Amino acid sequence: MISNSESIDIKYLIANDCDHQWGLTVNSVGFQEIKPGSEYPLKEHPSGYYFNYNKGRILREYQLVYITRGHGVFKCDDTPETQIGQGSLFLLYPGKWHTYHPDIKSGWNEYYIGFSGSIIDNLVVSGFLDPATPILNIGLSEEIVRLYKEAIEVAKADKSGAQQLLAGIVMHITGIALSIFKNKVFETDEIDQKIERAKIIMRESIMQDIDLEQLASKLNLSYSWFRKVFKDYTGFAPAKYFQELKMQKAKELLTHTGKPVKEISIMLNYESTEHFSTLFKKKTGFTPLEYRHHGRENSTK
């Protein structure tokens, strides 16, 4: 696994014969924040994944790549050079030449998941997925970002049945993307996209602190207007929504890792362990240690 900073989180996986019989296996999943002026792609990738933009590459798997910040270009056997950017999701096909990169001035945030199997092959044969239309401009979707992040965590945990769970996540992402693209159910209104962008930034900053007034300014909104619209859109004030995300992450870390409560409180940037524990009990009715014991006890039943 490559994980040399908070802005890179990549996992490569292997599948056994039983996994392959399921019909869909995941080979790679990750997130990369490519900052303006940065080299692309990373040289640390294995040879089968690394490529030079001018030469391009041919993969032996499918990949779903989702851009949530910045812009750049994409081209492949079936598509001339096309501008892509925030809200673009594109599907790479095995055996098809392709190349892409972020603009040097903007960089981009990129989520991806690589997979193969008869289930996806059949979707292509049936026409649900079309190599002639590899780019789906679906706009920003926090739900899709959440699924990518869930896939990364599942891959890193690498527990029994991980491949089957990852297969379900791939199908979930694919289903959402096709529904948005084909039925045009997503809101194209600029405000809706700004709120989705804000939600994604919060989710990606969960291990840090966040200045919500600066976030509103970054979206070219006054804070008072941002706060009102965000609450109308999500049902939560921005600060409350961010704390809800932190609590979700805390529950996950308590249940699925052995990290001490103090370490979790530091990771999630709380003022102190006592402050974290007080907020956690107020929210859940349990202390962090009680929640950990209760969660693990239920998982063994």
Side-chain angles (χ1 to χ4, degrees), residues 42-250:
L42 296 171
K43 288 185 177 179
E44 292 93 336
H45 289 293
S47 58
Y49 291 91
Y50 181 76
F51 68 102
N52 175 283
Y53 172 75
N54 294 319
K55 294 181 180 179
R57 69 177 174 186
I58 297 175
L59 289 173
R60 299 165 67 179
E61 64 181 32
Y62 297 90
Q63 275 195 10
L64 273 172
V65 185
Y66 187 40
I67 308 302
T68 60
R69 181 194 62 80
H71 61 273
V73 295
F74 170 87
K75 61 181 176 179
C76 66
D77 280 338
D78 303 296
T79 303
E81 185 168 285
T82 303
Q83 292 290 319
I84 57 172
Q86 179 175 296
S88 294
L89 182 145
F90 54 93
L91 179 58
L92 308 175
Y93 289 80
K96 292 279 188 179
W97 178 89
H98 62 264
T99 189
Y100 55 92
H101 72 87
D103 184 274
I104 192 71
K105 293 182 180 179
S106 72
W108 68 23
N109 284 8
E110 166 192 325
Y111 292 88
Y112 65 90
I113 188 164
F115 48 94
S116 55
S118 59
I119 290 176
I120 299 299
D121 293 339
N122 290 336
L123 291 180
V124 177
V125 172
S126 301
F128 289 102
L129 300 173
D130 184 1
T133 310
I135 303 170
L136 306 180
N137 290 312
I138 62 173
L140 291 171
S141 168
E142 189 206 12
E143 176 64 7
I144 288 180
V145 169
R146 184 192 69 76
L147 287 166
Y148 272 105
K149 285 184 168 292
E150 182 180 347
I152 292 170
E153 293 305 315
V154 170
K156 286 160 66 175
D158 198 21
K159 294 181 179 179
S160 178
Q163 280 289 348
Q164 287 69 58
L165 184 51
L166 288 167
I169 293 173
V170 168
M171 294 302 294
H172 197 171
I173 292 172
T174 304
I176 292 174
L178 288 177
S179 176
I180 291 173
F181 182 72
K182 292 189 174 183
N183 298 302
K184 305 296 182 185
V185 298
F186 71 96
E187 297 289 344
T188 57
D189 181 81
E190 184 181 3
I191 294 297
D192 291 324
Q193 285 294 282
K194 285 185 176 181
I195 298 304
E196 283 296 315
R197 177 66 185 146
K199 289 163 66 181
I200 290 171
I201 290 172
M202 289 184 193
R203 193 173 285 278
E204 291 177 350
S205 305
I206 201 167
M207 298 296 197
Q208 308 162 26
D209 202 1
I210 191 167
D211 188 317
L212 294 171
E213 291 191 17
Q214 286 185 8
L215 175 56
S217 177
K218 185 175 182 178
L219 298 169
N220 295 317
L221 298 171
S222 70
Y223 180 66
S224 58
W225 176 246
F226 168 66
R227 189 178 186 282
K228 178 184 182 304
V229 173
F230 191 96
K231 188 169 184 179
D232 289 344
Y233 191 91
T234 66
F236 294 95
K240 178 68 173 175
Y241 186 86
F242 189 53
Q243 286 306 315
E244 289 290 324
L245 290 179
K246 281 184 176 285
M247 280 293 164
Q248 286 179 10
K249 188 64 177 178

Side-chain angles (χ1 to χ4, degrees), residues 243-260:
Q243 286 306 315
E244 289 290 324
L245 290 179
K246 281 184 176 285
M247 280 293 164
Q248 286 179 10
K249 188 64 177 178
K251 291 176 184 178
E252 177 188 318
L253 291 169
L254 286 166
T255 304
H256 299 297
T257 77
K259 295 181 185 298

